[in-house]
Amino acid sequence: MLFILVILPLLALFYTGLSIVLLFFNYRKARKIGLPILITPVDPSNVPWLLCSSWLEPFLRKWLPFGLGNFVDYNSRDWNYDKIYQLQENIGDTFCIVSPKQVRVFTGNAEAADSLSRRRKDFVKAVALYKPLEIFGRNVVTTEGDDWVRHRRLTTPPFNERNSALVWDESKRQAVDMLHEWENSPNGQVTNPQRDTMMLALHVLTAAGFGRPFTFGKGLETPSDGHTLTYRDALSLILGNLFTAVFAATVNLPSWMLPRQFAEISDAVDNFRRYMIEMVDEERAAIAAGDSERDNLMSILVRASEASKQEGKGARHLSDAEIYGNLFSYNLAGHETTSNTLAYATILLAAHPDWQEWVREEVDSVTTATGVSAKDLQYETAYPQLKRCLSLMHETLRLFGAARAVPKTTTVSAQTLTINGREYVIPPNTFIGVNLAGLHTSSASWGKDSLAWRPNRWITRDGKEGIESLAPIMTGAFLPWAAGPRVCPGKKFSQVEFVAVLACMLSEYLIEPMADDMTDKAAAAAALMEELNQSSFNFLLKVKNPDRIKLRCVRRTRD
Ligand code: HEM
């Protein structure tokens, strides 16, 4: 009783007082920066807030007087996606958010985003956020400084042109099978296309990443000797249950001590680790036997690390755990990012038949000129010609980009950042993030129609010849793959995959919204866009109700 009546209120009073004092100090720190300031009485990382915020937010917004509840607009889970355009228009594209815990700086300014990306040593990646992703070992995603340089030097060469050609062929092979399945489903109906693009992207990674091809739509396949799951199923389980996998890998308890679902994921982690060990051993045996390098990422990475070891560069090569960590990082970073983009683009095309026709025109002109169907197009000749397909990817990533932000931080010294000709001093140890949705919708960079999905904004036409090419854009204004030294090494991989799939899709099929009333196409398209605009971050950007996304895939009839 004494605890409830006296100690608890005293503790609450102490906590409130301390929060006010800390908020005041942080506010003074932010004032010195000179950027617009937003104040939140509770930090978004506060655990009780995280647990209650979704039901508390509407209540606070409605009932707190004098607009005091407005802080939820920049404290909610999706604030830097669904509120950011208006916020930036109101207060500017770079601002501080002050809480009792910290000062965080956010920017959607192209000049600032470019500086943050290029000045790797001044603004380092906030890697603390990524540490749980070291399930199989340290890797290029989770490291910084000299350690990151060592990882990056060995993990980038695998993304070469030979690998791109492999990605191209495998993406077409998967797309043909996926689309065949769509066409043959009752009524050509496709519910939740992302489920299928996830499978497609996973298969492209298993083949072009690791030399393990699978067939789309083929159900259970037999695991390799000594395994309880196939390579694909183990990986798919880990990627689909990442938090459980992190936990399972960290606690390392015997499976009989774990609840059933944990035991299943733990088994997947164990299977996948053993597959990686076997693959690396096989590659080393192939090197010893004098076999030539294969074009998949794993073969090239293992050989680059072994060569580095042979050259006697000592600690410059990767340890076995680091090789496994990096092989996993390719899967982690390359799977949902690409599959989401493919799914968003497919849905957007269904809702915008005019843009679908615009891209198809290009695909048809390339297949007609080469005299082969899309599935037989060659990477070297066809990919560079499919610019409208690539612009479709860019425009999709601009408005429905997979990543929320590029998170950076200053370290022990303050750093100066120039924005619109004015210098701002960012204090030591301060988080500063590029708000990707803010950057990509900023009217200063993208004009008055920045919120409109308009793929031809990426295309410029040569006046005399009428040849189309990708239009130059403002430096720093488009960073879905980040930029500078830490630019995504899988950028080309994802572009090649996207273009190959889209070319196969549009050359043979029409994609439409599926609705109860198929006569009112405009209403069906509007309903689809409504669902799409309900996107939310769940690690990456996803539609909130994927099973409400219903499309129809119909084979084209040619005159
Ligand atoms: C549309 C597809 C993709 C998008 C939008 C994307 C986006 C990004 C972004 C924004 C980063 C920087 C993250 C940060 O520094 O905080 C990144 C890094 C990375 N991505 Fe991608 N990515 C895509 C596809 C891929 C693919 C296909 C692979 C591999 C097969 C891949 C592998 C990586 C790796 C290894 C890094 C870490 C690089 C480093 O820190 O040095 N990504 N990606």
Side-chain angles (χ1 to χ4, degrees), residues 125-126 130 139-143 148 151-152 155-156 159 163 205 209 297 326 329-342 393 397 401-408 436 479-483 485-495 497-498:
K125 178 168 171 175
Y130 296 82
N139 59 70
V140 67
V141 176
T142 63
T143 44
W148 169 80
H151 281 268
R152 180 84 191 195
T155 53
T156 307
F159 295 93
N163 182 254
L205 274 167
L297 302 178
N326 280 300
S329 83
Y330 292 152
N331 288 300
L332 185 69
H335 180 224
E336 275 202 55
T337 44
T338 314
S339 66
N340 278 11
T341 314
L342 278 167
M393 182 185 201
L397 278 169
R404 182 196 293 263
V406 181
K408 304 280 182 189
L436 287 176
L479 303 182
W481 290 281
R486 285 202 88 132
V487 64
C488 168
K491 177 176 174 181
K492 181 81 181 276
F493 188 116
S494 61
Q495 289 176 323
E497 178 174 338
F498 183 96

Side-chain angles (χ1 to χ4, degrees), residues 404-432:
R404 182 196 293 263
V406 181
K408 304 280 182 189
T409 170
T410 53
T411 55
V412 285
S413 32
Q415 297 296 339
T416 305
L417 192 63
T418 307
I419 305 172
N420 299 332
R422 189 174 156 193
E423 288 194 344
Y424 297 90
V425 178
I426 312 298
N429 301 313
T430 301
F431 174 93
I432 174 160

Side-chain angles (χ1 to χ4, degrees), residues 504-535:
C504 290
M505 184 187 289
L506 296 178
S507 76
E508 299 294 331
Y509 299 94
L510 298 171
I511 305 291
E512 300 173 345
M514 177 66 119
D516 293 338
D517 176 8
M518 289 299 282
T519 53
D520 192 349
K521 295 207 164 159
L528 205 52
M529 284 309 292
E530 186 122 325
E531 288 300 334
L532 214 59
N533 288 328
Q534 299 269 325
S535 293

Side-chain angles (χ1 to χ4, degrees), residues 150-158 301 304-305 308 316-318:
R150 181 171 57 88
H151 281 268
R152 180 84 191 195
R153 194 175 63 83
L154 292 166
T155 53
T156 307
L301 172 69
S305 181
S308 189
R316 304 300 296 165
H317 67 273
L318 298 173

